[in-house]
Amino acid sequence: MTEPAAAHTAAHVRYVLRLGDTSLILGQRLGEWIGHGPALEEDLGLANLALDFIGQARLLLTYAGELEGRGRDEDALAFLREAPEYANLTLVEQPNGDFACTIVRQWLVDSWQLQLYQALAGSADARLAAIAEKALKETRYHYRFSSGWLVRLGDGTEESRRRTQQALEELWRFTGELFAPDAIDAQMHAAGIAPELAGLRPAWSEAIDADLRAAGLARPADPSYRWQGKQGVHTEELSHLLAEMQHLPRAYPGARW
Amino acid sequence: MYTQGLDAQGREPEAPAGGAAAERFQARVDAEEKIEPKDWMPEAYRQTLIRQISQHAHSEIVGMLPEGNWITRAPSLRRKAVLMAKVQDEGGHGMYLYSAAETLGIGREEMVGQLLSGAAKYSSIFNYPTLTWADVGAIGWLVDGAAIMNQIPLCRCSYGPYARAMVRICKEESFHQRQGFEIMMTLARGTQAQREMAQDALNRWWWPSIMMFGPSDADSPHTAQSMRWKIKRFSNDELRQKFIDVTVPQAHFLGLAIPDAQLHLDEASGHYRIGAIDWSEFHAVLRGNGPCNRERLAARRAAHENGAWVREAAAAHARKLKERAAAAAAA
Amino acid sequence: MSEDWPLYEVFVRARSGLEHKHVGSLHAADARMAIEHARDVYTRRQEGVSLWVVPSAQIIASDPQEAEALFEPARDKVYRHPTFYAIPDEVKNL
């Protein structure tokens, strides 16, 4: 492989890993809710979300492993990478907190993925386009679920409004990362594989404002600090999450499960 | 996940008072007709069903916890997805069952209250801990296996909504036992450490699974009324024997040893015979002194209490929607 | 309690061309949530392509006590069925 071709592949792998890791970590977080939700019906709903995200992660990590060509499958990528090798958004690794926190996190991710997957469905990378098209259908439902809950919680009781506004203040600081392009995004955009990331922001921002209005919640000021989860710089939460998730494959090297 | 032991935990329902209605009711049951929610039924039949169905539902819900304990640590993404789907199914089954019980005139909130206060029972099997990944396999293989033995006859239960819920549940559960066996098989064919993990899980889950069928027939004489009402169709010992007969060869296939030195094949009858069951343990766990009774109830209470403000918020929002719609219509 | 959610009955259309069939019930605070819960609870295995949810309190059911009065009178109206009429075999297309 020529040097530019190798660099392109590395960027391509990294790009797909970002998507896959974001789905995986969010799926892992949502899985923590199963059996502990605020109503039985919500347990089932949250489990459905978790299953969709794990499903997306499997498709994306498998693809990343194939692109990489070093024989790593979905499990090698999920269970045998350290936190700095993970490329998920820092938003999704944040703990579940209370239900308001989980819903706000979910709604921020869903509204972001909605824009992103719509664009990726037209990617020059046919494999990625197919995965995005499948994920888009799931995302439309996720967004329906999370935006519906955002409005219920914002409009519901004094307590629910307070908790939800608090969750929003808490998590908003991670949104700076959602549409901040770096060299990999630019390279993928130039190759027709990815959309221009910053270009997706206006539509996202509009949807966010409409939902916040419906929920009677206030949009926090934009963050000054920019997190860099997709560059491998995470919050302290991620390594704890990985320690738990990766425990078995690491304790029994080479074992099959 | 049902355990026959639950139907032994109430008082013997009194035989219904005579009278034409009671006779017509019994005649319909005898003719294998289904009883539906608004049909006349003896009060004791209603109460027996409420107790049994709600405790069955509680078992599904509490049953989410031991396996749910491993969702975040499932050792592959495939296993993680399967386990999430299975635990989710258990929640769904609890829901179907609460729905069936609600047709008898009791609200879900009241039933959940009975679970959280400790007044209602759930299957004792879920008061055992899941200590290693192999326990997830053992639960699927043994606990779901025992549950299926109990649940299939319930598909023909005389009460329509219960029978229909069970049909749906049995259909959905067919993958549960298979995924458990697959986990055990993978471990049994894995490394030495994995084989030991599988054997250890079998050692801990075998007897509790055997006890899931409830006290032996000699000690549970009061199932006669449930049999007459066609709520129950086989005795505890019949189902237990059936489970043993199908499960022992599966353990042999896995190359794992059943932890029972007395276990042997009775050539004459073709049945496997087991050693004596330690019922003192069964009763201790039933009375609340099992290894995880406190933890399981504490987890359910925490979920319920932490969710109260969420349920209130949604109810408040729904009220506001109605008020706004009414105001808009009036304007 | 103010946090109780009302009961809804769920009806699922399995495939286009089929009628909606009652499958069970669930609790939900509002109509939108009832559809989402019905989807999450009753269509996890591709059981349907369309959902109806109806507040259980809105269902009006016949009284089993009246079953005879309501349904028995139809029993002797055998002339409503085609087999009631004797037509010779050689007559076709009837």
Side-chain angles (χ1 to χ4, degrees):
Chain A
M1 213 186 287
T2 61
E3 206 170 299
H8 174 80
T9 300
H12 198 175
V13 169
R14 187 73 184 167
Y15 186 78
V16 177
L17 276 179
R18 288 175 176 182
L19 300 174
D21 288 349
T22 294
S23 289
L24 173 58
I25 300 302
L26 187 56
Q28 172 78 1
R29 281 293 188 219
L30 288 166
E32 295 171 18
W33 269 108
I34 303 174
H36 307 277
L40 192 44
E41 284 86 349
E42 298 310 324
D43 264 7
L44 272 76
L46 291 165
N48 269 347
L49 296 191
L51 283 167
D52 284 347
F53 285 108
I54 297 299
Q56 291 170 13
R58 295 183 66 188
L59 293 173
L60 289 162
L61 294 186
T62 298
Y63 181 38
E66 288 171 20
L67 277 176
E68 185 189 49
R70 283 169 46 200
R72 293 203 284 184
D73 63 7
E74 59 182 44
D75 289 327
L77 287 168
F79 294 95
L80 301 174
R81 278 182 303 151
E82 297 287 346
E85 299 168 84
Y86 260 78
N88 59 281
L89 296 173
T90 40
L91 175 61
V92 296
E93 71 203 35
Q94 299 313 306
N96 287 339
D98 65 7
F99 191 68
C101 216
T102 291
I103 288 298
V104 168
R105 184 186 64 197
Q106 194 61 43
W107 165 74
L108 289 170
V109 177
D110 293 342
S111 52
W112 171 78
Q113 281 192 335
L114 201 55
Q115 301 301 328
L116 186 62
Y117 283 141
Q118 270 168 8
L120 282 174
S123 169
D125 176 345
R127 175 92 168 259
L128 190 57
I131 294 173
E133 202 166 328
K134 178 179 181 296
L136 181 58
K137 290 179 194 148
E138 297 166 349
T139 306
R140 288 206 171 102
Y141 182 75
H142 302 166
Y143 180 64
R144 175 194 157 110
F145 173 89
S146 60
S147 61
W149 265 110
L150 187 87
V151 171
R152 274 183 210 106
L153 296 180
D155 184 55
T157 61
E158 193 39 53
E159 179 179 10
S160 69
R161 200 201 59 77
R162 176 178 57 73
R163 283 176 182 263
T164 311
Q165 185 66 48
Q166 200 175 314
L168 199 53
E169 307 287 343
E170 188 62 34
L171 294 171
W172 190 258
R173 62 201 167 109
F174 299 108
T175 60
E177 193 187 0
L178 300 183
F179 297 98
D182 67 358
I184 287 173
D185 291 307
Q187 204 175 334
M188 290 298 104
H189 174 52
I193 292 171
E196 194 207 345
L197 194 53
L200 302 178
R201 195 167 191 277
W204 173 81
S205 193
E206 216 171 286
I208 288 285
D209 282 337
D211 290 341
L212 287 175
R213 255 195 316 279
L217 297 165
R219 180 173 176 151
D222 279 337
S224 50
Y225 185 81
R226 183 155 294 163
W227 294 92
Q228 297 173 302
K230 62 184 186 181
Q231 284 94 11
V233 185
H234 291 276
T235 59
E236 289 178 350
E237 307 296 344
L238 184 64
S239 59
H240 291 283
L241 179 150
L242 293 180
E244 184 175 348
M245 185 176 89
Q246 298 179 335
H247 156 68
L248 277 172
R250 289 197 183 271
Y252 299 88
R256 294 170 51 84
W257 301 93
Chain B
M1 244 171 246
Y2 179 67
T3 111
Q4 189 105 343
L6 287 176
D7 58 29
Q9 289 167 20
R11 282 196 314 276
E12 158 74 336
E14 284 170 30
E23 273 170 31
R24 264 201 309 276
F25 172 83
Q26 189 61 48
R28 290 184 65 196
V29 171
D30 291 344
E32 299 285 336
E33 263 184 58
K34 294 292 181 219
I35 305 302
E36 294 297 338
K38 296 183 74 172
D39 292 345
W40 186 90
M41 62 186 81
E43 193 48 31
Y45 176 83
R46 180 187 302 275
Q47 292 309 325
T48 299
L49 278 171
I50 287 178
R51 193 185 67 231
Q52 180 169 330
I53 301 172
S54 64
Q55 296 190 359
H56 191 168
H58 300 330
S59 302
E60 298 282 356
I61 301 310
V62 178
M64 297 171 80
L65 299 170
E67 287 169 286
N69 181 36
W70 283 89
I71 286 177
T72 58
R73 292 174 293 167
S76 74
L77 295 185
R78 175 174 175 271
R79 293 282 180 219
K80 190 185 291 290
V82 169
L83 185 57
M84 280 179 178
K86 178 177 191 281
V87 176
Q88 180 196 42
D89 269 355
E90 280 152 16
H93 298 169
M95 270 215 46
Y96 304 158
L97 290 161
Y98 282 130
S99 291
E102 282 183 281
T103 64
L104 291 159
I106 184 170
R108 192 198 297 176
E109 202 58 29
E110 186 179 347
M111 292 185 270
V112 170
Q114 290 168 349
L115 170 68
L116 300 183
S117 74
K121 298 288 180 212
Y122 55 86
S123 181
S124 286
I125 195 80
F126 303 120
N127 288 322
Y128 290 91
T130 49
L131 302 177
T132 72
W133 170 250
D135 290 20
V136 174
I139 288 180
W141 172 38
L142 300 173
V143 176
D144 288 297
I148 288 166
M149 292 282 165
N150 278 316
Q151 292 184 149
I152 286 174
L154 285 172
C155 296
R156 294 191 292 130
C157 163
S158 61
Y159 187 57
Y162 193 21
R164 289 192 288 275
M166 290 316 304
V167 168
R168 199 179 181 92
I169 289 170
C170 285
K171 220 192 292 177
E172 295 190 355
E173 282 213 347
S174 51
F175 94 80
H176 292 186
Q177 194 187 14
R178 291 171 74 101
Q179 67 84 35
F181 191 79
E182 191 192 75
I183 290 174
M184 293 303 276
M185 204 164 60
T186 308
L187 295 175
R189 292 174 178 175
T191 64
Q192 176 67 22
Q194 286 177 307
R195 272 195 299 282
E196 282 167 16
M197 194 188 279
Q199 181 63 56
D200 166 66
L202 174 58
N203 292 348
R204 284 181 289 109
W205 289 94
W206 172 254
W207 287 109
S209 301
I210 294 293
M211 289 186 235
M212 276 178 71
F213 294 90
S216 71
D217 295 347
D219 297 322
S220 54
H222 57 262
T223 55
Q225 184 61 68
S226 280
M227 293 266 203
R228 267 198 299 281
W229 280 334
K230 299 198 194 292
I231 295 174
K232 181 170 182 166
R233 293 196 177 246
F234 296 98
S235 80
N236 297 354
D237 286 340
E238 281 170 335
L239 289 172
R240 184 174 5 250
Q241 188 61 53
K242 211 169 148 196
F243 172 74
I244 292 164
D245 287 340
V246 303
T247 309
V248 172
Q250 292 167 356
H252 290 162
F253 176 85
L254 293 173
L256 299 176
I258 302 268
D260 177 357
Q262 261 94 59
L263 181 78
H264 65 279
L265 182 63
D266 176 27
E267 299 283 355
S269 66
H271 291 300
Y272 283 96
R273 300 298 178 201
I274 58 168
I277 297 173
D278 178 8
W279 289 110
S280 62
E281 177 182 316
F282 175 78
H283 291 295
V285 179
L286 205 58
R287 276 195 302 270
N289 299 321
C292 295
N293 296 56
R294 284 161 198 270
E295 287 81 356
R296 300 295 183 239
L297 263 191
R300 286 316 309 158
R301 285 185 189 129
H304 189 76
E305 284 161 18
N306 294 336
W309 70 267
V310 179
R311 297 189 300 276
E312 272 165 28
H317 171 66
R319 273 196 302 279
K320 288 181 184 177
L321 285 180
K322 267 189 202 150
E323 285 162 13
R324 284 172 205 148
Chain C
M1 260 189 290
S2 63
E3 65 188 67
D4 283 5
W5 294 347
L7 197 63
Y8 286 79
E9 299 300 321
V10 181
F11 300 80
V12 177
R13 185 200 293 284
R15 287 196 312 275
S16 72
L18 296 181
E19 68 277 53
H20 286 79
K21 199 174 156 213
H22 183 244
V23 293
S25 61
L26 49 78
H27 289 266
D30 54 59
R32 173 181 176 143
M33 190 197 284
I35 286 285
E36 287 166 10
H37 286 169
R39 179 255 195 199
D40 287 330
V41 175
Y42 289 104
T43 67
R44 301 199 303 287
R45 287 172 168 79
Q46 298 179 287
E47 289 94 334
V49 296
S50 165
L51 285 166
W52 287 350
V53 291
V54 182
S56 305
Q58 297 292 318
I59 300 247
I60 299 159
S62 66
D63 182 347
Q65 303 287 341
E66 278 192 298
E68 288 184 359
L70 288 171
F71 309 116
E72 290 285 314
R75 183 176 281 186
D76 65 354
K77 313 292 193 291
V78 286
Y79 42 79
R80 291 192 202 276
H81 300 283
T83 48
F84 178 72
Y85 303 92
I87 304 289
D89 285 347
E90 55 265 39
V91 183
K92 302 297 177 198
N93 300 318
L94 265 177

